[in-house]
Amino acid sequence: MEFIYLGFWSIIAIYLIYKIFRCIRIIPAQDVLIVERLGKYSRSLRAGFHILIPFIDRDAYYHTLKEQSIDVQPQICITHDNVQVKVDGVIYLKIIDPVRASYGIEDFQFAAIQLAQTTMRSVIGTMELDKTIGEKDLINSTIVAAIDQASEPWGIKVNRYEILNIVPPKSVLDAMEKEKKAQIAKRSQVLLSEGERDSRINRSLGFKEEAVNKSEGEKQRRINSAEGKATEIEALAVATAKGIESIAGAISDQGGASAIKLQITKAFIHNFLNVAKENTEILIPADVMNLPNLIANLTEGKKPKA
């Protein structure tokens, strides 16, 4: 009997020691402990050392204030053009009010996941498949806005939502791959035709520029030739004028008339000898033997008698 009595009190003592030990709380940084006193919310314990009152205080909820990432399991969504796609994602949220996160909803993580899935189905249901694949940012922002609006009483803040995969059925993937190949082939043909067109245009422009350059060159050549001929004629005229002027000056000088008569006589004899060749009939002036008179007539501008 004493053994049983001793064992009973030993159990009571161990239980009391356990309860006292359980009343000591060391809360890490970025963690919060929600304490209830006699079933009613008492206080929120932040980082540090804390002591609870045995049998009166109870640690009801334990939360972390760090940002949490929650996986959203894949689900089947139907697009606006009746294509089934499998979509999964990740929610990034953070507790901003531990009290409301404890008493505002039973399980805020589960609620956030369910709201994300229903919102995702609604958004994807308004889009066609091509737009669904290319508008991930729009879907993410819509889901974040919906969860953030509904989660305000829950004491949480949804920072972002990211779609990980959008997987259409295999038949749709095969059709999309064929369409992509056809687009690539079409683009290749268009690029080849455009390249050939540009090549022909470039060649025609080259021929045109070559013809223009040739014509400009021929035009410049003719201009230069004409200018050269004009310069030459002008130089000859100036030289002739100077020659005539010099001759006129020489004639007017003393002995000039005799010199010019001598030159005319030499030229006459030279030309007469060239004309009087074999088998050539010529008419000789009657006074050809009177050469001095003939020269005088020529210098005075008189015609010789036939």
Side-chain angles (χ1 to χ4, degrees):
M1 187 69 182
E2 292 180 357
F3 178 76
I4 296 174
Y5 183 75
L6 181 61
F8 174 75
W9 285 107
S10 298
I11 292 172
I12 295 296
I14 293 172
Y15 178 72
L16 291 176
I17 293 172
Y18 171 75
K19 292 296 290 183
I20 294 172
F21 178 78
R22 286 284 300 168
C23 290
I24 300 173
R25 291 288 185 270
I26 299 177
I27 310 300
Q30 292 297 314
D31 287 350
V32 177
L33 181 64
I34 303 298
V35 177
E36 293 180 351
R37 178 168 291 176
L38 300 177
K40 185 179 178 181
Y41 169 74
S42 174
R43 61 191 182 278
S44 300
L45 302 181
R46 302 280 176 161
F49 179 82
H50 304 277
I51 297 178
L52 305 181
I53 300 175
F55 303 105
I56 296 178
D57 292 338
R58 181 178 73 91
D59 49 348
Y61 300 97
Y62 193 90
H63 299 293
T64 178
L65 300 180
K66 299 176 183 178
E67 187 175 26
Q68 306 174 44
S69 61
I70 305 173
D71 291 333
V72 178
Q73 296 300 317
Q75 63 172 336
I76 299 298
C77 301
I78 300 177
T79 62
H80 185 68
D81 48 354
N82 296 323
V83 178
Q84 293 184 353
V85 293
K86 184 181 291 185
V87 186
D88 60 349
V90 179
I91 301 176
Y92 295 89
L93 55 83
K94 185 178 182 179
I95 296 176
I96 57 176
D97 189 342
V99 177
R100 286 191 292 174
S102 301
Y103 300 103
I105 192 170
E106 181 67 25
D107 187 348
F108 66 86
Q109 291 187 352
F110 177 77
I113 292 173
Q114 294 301 311
L115 185 57
Q117 289 181 331
T118 55
T119 306
M120 187 186 304
R121 287 194 294 268
S122 299
V123 174
I124 293 179
T126 61
M127 299 180 176
E128 295 184 354
L129 178 61
D130 294 340
K131 189 176 181 181
T132 300
I133 297 175
E135 296 289 343
K136 287 186 178 181
D137 292 340
L138 176 61
I139 299 174
N140 293 336
S141 60
T142 304
I143 294 174
V144 169
I147 300 177
D148 202 29
Q149 182 179 2
S151 63
E152 184 177 358
W154 306 345
I156 64 173
K157 172 67 176 177
V158 179
N159 295 327
R160 61 190 183 277
Y161 180 88
E162 296 292 339
I163 294 178
L164 295 180
N165 298 295
I166 298 179
V167 183
K170 189 176 184 303
S171 58
V172 176
L173 289 176
D174 294 339
M176 292 174 63
E177 184 178 1
K178 292 179 180 179
E179 181 181 0
K180 189 64 177 180
K181 289 182 179 179
Q183 291 178 354
I184 293 174
K186 178 181 178 181
R187 190 180 300 113
S188 176
Q189 293 178 356
V190 170
L191 292 176
L192 288 175
S193 62
E194 291 179 351
E196 181 65 23
R197 181 195 63 188
D198 294 341
S199 176
R200 292 181 178 179
I201 292 174
N202 291 335
R203 286 198 298 268
S204 63
L205 291 176
F207 292 149
K208 177 182 177 182
E209 291 180 359
E210 182 181 3
V212 170
N213 291 335
K214 286 183 178 180
S215 63
E216 291 291 337
E218 181 65 20
K219 174 183 176 182
Q220 191 63 39
R221 187 189 66 80
R222 292 183 179 181
I223 291 174
N224 293 339
S225 178
E227 290 179 352
K229 289 182 179 179
T231 303
E232 181 183 1
I233 293 172
E234 182 180 0
L236 289 174
V238 172
T240 302
K242 288 183 178 180
I244 295 173
E245 183 179 358
S246 299
I247 292 172
I251 292 173
S252 62
D253 293 339
Q254 186 177 1
S258 299
I260 196 63
K261 290 179 179 181
L262 179 60
Q263 292 295 329
I264 293 173
T265 303
K266 289 181 179 181
F268 177 79
I269 295 172
H270 177 73
N271 293 329
F272 184 78
L273 293 175
N274 289 333
V275 172
K277 293 181 179 179
E278 187 178 0
N279 298 327
T280 301
E281 294 180 358
I282 60 174
L283 296 176
I284 299 175
D287 54 353
V288 68
M289 300 305 294
N290 190 4
L291 188 58
N293 293 333
L294 179 64
I295 298 301
N297 292 332
L298 290 174
T299 56
E300 293 175 0
K302 297 180 181 179
K303 296 182 180 180
K305 297 180 180 180

